[in-house]
Structure formats: structure tokens, C-alpha cells
Amino acid sequence: MSLLILQGGMLTTVQDLGRPGYQDQGVPVGGATDTLAARLANLLVGNPREAALLEMALVGPELVCEQDALVAWCGADFPVRLDQRPLPPNRPARVPAGSRIHCGVARSGARAWLAISGGVDVPVVLGSRSTLRRFGMGGLEGRALRPGDRLPTGTPLFWAQQVQESLQRAGRAYVDWSVQPGTLGRTRTDGNRLRVLRGPEWEWFRPEAWAHFVKSTYHVTKDADRMGVRLEGPLLGLREPRELVSTAVDAGVVQVPASGLPIVLLCSRQTVGGYPRLAAVATVDQGRLAQLRQGDAVGFTEIDLATAHELVLAREADLRQVQTALSQRTG
Amino acid sequence: MHITPLGDRAIVVELGHRPDARTHHRVQAARRLLTQPPLPGVLEVVPAHTTVTVFYDPTALMGKGHPAESLLERLSRAVRERLAALPDRGKHPPGRTVEIPVCYGGPYGPDLAAVAAHAGWTPSELIRQHVSTEHLVHMIGFSPGFPYLGGLPEALAIPRRATPRVAVPPGSVGIANRQSCIYPYNTPGGWHLVGRTPRCLFRPDCSPPSLLQAGDHVQFREITPDEFESWQEPEPAA
């Protein structure tokens, strides 16, 4: 029961929903940079919520599945192939033992998540299997995957076996339906506009700064990783020089250092930060941060806190519906 | 006490303005009140110098209280009720004292002479000051197990380096802005490095994993390069 890595890709790591509960020990939460996509991929292979999967970035891995399994992938537009044949996203697919999965180079977006029935079974470190490369913690030896790595996988749930068997009887590699993550919750179709809330220090900025921030277009610089994304565009200045005493931050927080150029934090952020926090990207739009590439344009639209909470609720309700529908469907 | 939302799943409780010992004890008292027992729907309470940040699960808190009350109002009220017992000042648990052996200067602390010069001292005067100060662990942050240590005199109000080092060796002891720190991991860093400890500051197999905890006191002890190089890390208590 394992996955054999033939090519690691650019940056493929084992992730789950992260390592919350240790921020007071200085441990970043980390985990999949788009938790919705990761949760959906796990749901589609019948895994529990906390199962570990693979996160790939820009250039995906090539791997061999050493046992019959169910796999599903969600996220950026990768040309994923299963033994030379296209493997479409957002649905369970049957992978016979010895099959090769080739993920290729992302055509748009940056990251995708590949789940396997039973989950990737690396040791749990501080409550999580997620890889924190900066500190060599979790995942496989705390690092990105490379050729020759063998990842143990866990025991699939009965549902996954049922779907595998029904696909086998039908002589099909994958089901003819899919669940689009973009349709869950109240979605938007206005490109890269992210919904934001005002941050704790927004009043520290010049009166016109907030209007600039939500009206302007920013561009993603080359400094974009799992910790954060540096943007360039109109400068956001403080009313007067002022230092923030280091305090907790979160994924989605937009902090502005002295340069005046905003940094949007992702989940592998530090636990504390010392830059004024102008804004925070709403939870429901944080997955889109994981898909930004150098040069991409992003804009921001303000919403209020009650709306942000309703959006989370609507998305969770849809996800529960998907879970219920899947449990009644085995082929 | 001021409560502000941080995004849509955390609130920040402000308990002071400066990273001093008094605010530290208020923050730690607030952390204890907010975690023992945990509030419903609260996932994590993260103390810092002047704040505690309360991370919550919006789905666990929605629609549970009075319909006219927003989630923010409800959570803020619960936090205020808990913190009504927060003393303005007063008794606090004494905290442990943890001894940290440090090899000062030379390749272990390349900035020792510069920091001493900033204070108008000789390097040995700086070492004497550093080992005789009782350092209070204000918080753990920046990296796993990284302590922010308060207690240095005004003479050591030296700003961080203009250009941070790309890589700081693990165990390095830094000074900046009247605080000391210890880098548990090889990370970039902007503090001035005065020495290095052979001790392991973070062990995922220990509970808690960080050697130092907020509220502890650190007593630095000078060791020789030989002692540093031959250091045997003690097995953690079971």
C-alpha cells in the first residue's frame, strides 16, 4: 500500500488541514493552501476530513500507485494523465495497481491536490501529517518529494472499494459526474477579485489608503510561496510612522511593511507579525490565493464580517450536501 | 479592553500597549482565563506581547445565541465575561527558571563587540550583564520555540540590523530593542548575535514541544567553546 514517486515535480509535499493548536509554541498552522480543494479531493475518494494528500505546485509529480486505489484531484488546470489517458479533475477515478499518474505542468493557476483512498500515511507530528519544510517537520522527512520516495498509504474506507468495484464492472476509469469546487457556496465570477474585511490597523493608514486598496489592481511579484504573496501596485502609507508590537496573524491577512507594498499571508505564515494589518481576505476566497502566479492581477472588494460568516456557512452547507450525496452514490 | 476582528475567524483582545512585564502578566492571566476551560467554538488562543488572539470556528458559533446578536457580539461578550476576573495587576504564577548555557563571542556571537560598543561597554561587561539579568519569556513566536526575552537595560535599546542575515545558525542568541532571543532553527534573522547555545529549544516529541514557555525565566550561563562542542543534550523528562 504505497505511492512510488518517479518525479517530484517542482514542489510536491504531503499536506492535510494543518497543525492548529501549537501557535503558542511558535508552530505555523500550515497545511493545504486551499483547504476547500483538499477537503473535496478527500471526500471524492471517501477519505475522512483529516486524511493527508499531495499538494503540487506549477510542475506536478509523476508517480506509480502500487495497489488498486481510488484517486481524485482538484485545483489548478494540470494536464493530469493516468497511463497516458487524460484524467479529469473533481471526480473519483479507479487506479489499478502499477498505474502511472503523470501530473504535468499547470496551464493556469498554480496548485492542485491529489488524494488517494486511505490517505497518505506518514507519521503524525504535533497532530498533523502536513509538511513544514522551513523547519523540516511533518510530511516525508519534513521535505518536498523526490524520485524514489515511497509514501505509505492507509486503509481505504468501504465506500472507496464500492466505487472501485462499480467502475471496474462498468469498464470505466472514472465516473461520469464531477463536483466543481467553484460551485460550492455563493461563488463569484469576476476574475481575481478577492473579498476582504478591514484589518485591525486599517485606521493607521492615510485616509485615502483604503479607497486606493479596494479600487486598484495589484500584481503578484516573484515572491509568492506558501508563506505569503508580495504584491506590487499603489503604495499604502501610514498617517505617521508607527510600529506594531508583534502580534498574532492569520492566513489571508494583508500586512503592509514600511515599503507600502502589501503582503498577503498564506497558511505557512509565521505565528506572529509586526507589520500593520490593513485587511484580511475572507475565508471563502483564501483558496484563490493558492492559485496566484507571478504577474497575475488581483483586486479587492470589501465585505462586512456578517457577510463573510454567511459565506462560510453557505459553503459548509454545500459541502455537507456533497458529502451526503456522495455517500448515497457508489458509481 | 479593546476587541477587534482579525479576518472572519479570529478576534484580537488588546491588553496593553507596550511589551513590558506588567502587560505580559495580564496577557498570560487572560490566556489562562480564556482556555480553562475552552470557550465553545474557540479553536486556539494565541498570546503575544500585548494581545491575546482568539481563533474561532464560525460554523460552530453561528445561529447559537440570540438572533439579533451577531457572531462577533456574542463571542466578544463571552470573552469579556471570562475576562471580568482579570486582575489589573497582582499575583501571577512565579514561572520556572530555565538555565541556558551560552558560548559568547567569537564565531558563536559575531556581533558581541558591536553590541557592547553600542552600550559603551567591553564585551566582558556585556556578558556579565547578560548572565546576571533575569530574562522573562514574553512570548514564543517567529519560529517554533523562538522566545522573546525581556529584561535588558536601556543601554541595550539597539535597533535590529538594517539588513537581516539570510541564515542564522540554530542556537544563536540575539539582542535587539532591549530584548534577547534564541533562534531554534536555521532561519533568516535581524537580531545582533552575541553567542550560541548548544541546547535544543524545540522537540516535537516533547509535550509541550517548546523548551521555554511564556512566563518562564531564563538564566544564561557562560560556557567555553569546548563545553559548547562537547555538549550532550539531556534526555527530556518523560
Side-chain angles (χ1 to χ4, degrees):
Chain A
M1 305 275 274
S2 53
L3 293 173
L4 174 65
I5 305 298
L6 301 179
Q7 294 295 332
M10 199 174 95
L11 179 57
T12 305
T13 51
V14 177
Q15 297 296 345
D16 57 15
L17 297 180
R19 196 169 272 119
Y22 295 95
Q23 292 191 75
D24 65 349
Q25 307 289 298
V27 182
V29 174
T33 44
D34 180 352
T35 51
L36 176 70
R39 285 168 67 190
L40 188 58
N42 268 329
L43 271 182
L44 290 169
V45 295
N47 281 350
R49 196 186 144 92
E50 65 276 7
L53 37 53
L54 301 185
E55 176 175 297
M56 62 190 86
L58 296 173
V59 181
E62 185 180 357
L63 46 93
V64 172
C65 193
E66 299 190 307
Q67 76 278 5
D68 290 352
L70 207 59
V71 303
W73 69 278
C74 300
D77 183 13
F78 277 85
V80 180
R81 291 179 167 265
L82 171 63
D83 286 336
Q84 309 303 324
R85 284 192 300 276
L87 182 62
N90 309 320
R91 70 192 75 205
R94 184 176 69 92
V95 179
S99 304
R100 214 174 253 233
I101 299 171
H102 185 279
C103 297
V105 179
R107 290 178 287 227
S108 67
R111 293 184 178 89
W113 294 268
L114 173 69
I116 179 162
S117 51
V120 176
D121 192 19
V122 292
V124 174
V125 178
L126 299 176
S128 167
R129 296 182 171 89
S130 61
T131 312
L132 194 52
R133 285 169 67 232
R134 224 156 63 249
F135 307 116
M137 194 187 293
L140 186 72
E141 298 167 0
R143 58 169 173 81
L145 301 181
R146 51 192 190 214
D149 283 343
R150 191 168 257 119
L151 290 169
T153 58
T155 309
L157 293 184
F158 183 57
W159 182 85
Q161 291 173 25
Q162 284 180 295
V163 175
Q164 262 168 264
E165 282 162 20
S166 91
L167 283 171
Q168 192 163 15
R169 279 195 303 275
R172 297 176 57 95
Y174 48 82
V175 301
D176 55 6
W177 46 268
S178 67
V179 184
Q180 309 288 338
T183 62
L184 300 178
R186 266 178 270 153
T187 54
R188 298 174 67 97
T189 51
D190 51 355
N192 272 344
R193 281 207 89 77
L194 304 169
R195 289 165 284 195
V196 288
L197 300 132
R198 294 192 190 216
E201 285 78 48
W202 76 271
E203 286 174 301
W204 290 22
F205 290 81
R206 291 202 189 105
E208 70 280 7
W210 183 262
H212 271 163
F213 177 63
V214 292
K215 279 191 190 131
S216 309
T217 299
Y218 284 85
H219 287 92
V220 176
T221 66
K222 63 174 175 38
D223 297 318
D225 60 18
R226 286 177 43 88
M227 284 182 76
V229 174
R230 275 178 193 270
L231 301 176
E232 60 190 4
L235 299 182
L236 302 162
L238 296 178
R239 286 168 192 265
E240 56 195 4
R242 199 165 165 184
E243 291 215 354
L244 180 68
V245 180
S246 287
T247 180
V249 291
D250 196 5
V253 164
V254 180
Q255 58 179 26
V256 185
S259 69
L261 290 171
I263 301 170
V264 190
L265 300 179
L266 266 65
C267 63
S268 281
R269 66 192 167 74
Q270 292 173 193
T271 54
V272 293
Y275 298 129
R277 300 159 295 181
L278 174 65
V281 176
T283 293
V284 289
D285 281 351
Q286 284 176 15
R288 292 161 69 182
L289 295 171
Q291 301 302 349
L292 296 176
R293 296 182 176 206
Q294 184 176 2
D296 281 354
V298 282
F300 300 96
T301 304
E302 183 178 4
I303 59 170
D304 63 26
L305 186 57
T307 307
H309 287 150
E310 284 163 19
L311 290 168
V312 171
L313 235 63
R315 200 182 75 174
E316 291 300 317
D318 282 2
L319 210 52
R320 268 198 307 278
Q321 277 199 348
V322 168
Q323 189 166 14
T324 308
L326 284 176
S327 66
Q328 292 158 1
R329 183 163 199 168
T330 52
Chain B
M1 131 196 10
H2 193 54
I3 296 183
T4 341
L6 173 65
D8 54 18
R9 52 177 190 231
I11 56 170
V12 186
V13 185
E14 273 184 57
L15 296 156
H17 300 287
R18 290 176 354 154
D20 52 27
R22 179 172 165 250
T23 304
H24 164 83
H25 293 306
R26 263 173 79 75
V27 165
Q28 288 307 312
R31 178 188 62 80
R32 286 190 293 273
L33 289 169
L34 291 172
T35 51
Q36 297 166 3
L39 285 166
V42 167
L43 303 173
E44 193 164 4
V45 175
V46 183
H49 282 305
T50 59
T51 57
V52 285
T53 301
V54 177
F55 289 79
Y56 61 90
D57 173 5
T59 54
L61 283 167
M62 285 289 275
K64 290 266 165 64
H66 194 275
E69 202 180 27
S70 74
L71 191 162
L72 176 65
E73 288 165 339
R74 194 157 59 246
L75 181 59
S76 304
R77 184 166 48 77
V79 166
R80 282 180 202 282
E81 280 171 8
R82 274 289 173 89
L83 296 186
L86 187 67
D88 189 44
R89 57 173 74 217
K91 281 194 192 151
H92 49 83
R96 306 172 304 168
T97 297
V98 182
E99 188 187 84
I100 301 285
V102 179
C103 183
Y104 287 94
Y108 302 93
D111 302 330
L112 179 73
V115 176
H118 175 92
W121 301 337
T122 64
S124 7
E125 282 170 334
L126 174 58
I127 295 170
R128 208 176 314 135
Q129 173 73 49
H130 206 241
V131 296
S132 60
T133 301
E134 185 178 66
H135 303 259
L136 173 65
V137 180
H138 278 253
M139 67 169 177
I140 305 292
F142 178 68
S143 81
F146 180 107
Y148 290 77
L149 304 165
L152 289 178
E154 187 61 40
L156 290 169
I158 176 170
R160 291 186 198 179
R161 289 164 58 93
T163 312
R165 288 185 168 88
V166 178
V168 171
S172 294
V173 176
I175 287 180
N177 302 316
R178 297 186 59 189
Q179 289 196 327
S180 303
C181 75
I182 312 172
Y183 288 90
Y185 287 89
N186 186 328
T187 53
W191 301 53
H192 305 271
L193 307 182
V194 297
R196 203 173 158 196
T197 178
R199 283 226 65 176
C200 177
L201 272 93
F202 190 87
R203 296 190 56 155
D205 56 337
C206 290
S207 179
S210 177
L211 173 68
L212 299 171
Q213 297 293 314
D216 286 348
H217 296 279
V218 167
Q219 185 70 60
F220 289 110
R221 175 172 67 87
E222 188 178 9
I223 58 170
T224 64
D226 279 350
E227 285 174 283
F228 179 95
E229 299 301 339
S230 61
W231 179 262
Q232 299 283 327
E233 180 69 12
E235 273 307 302

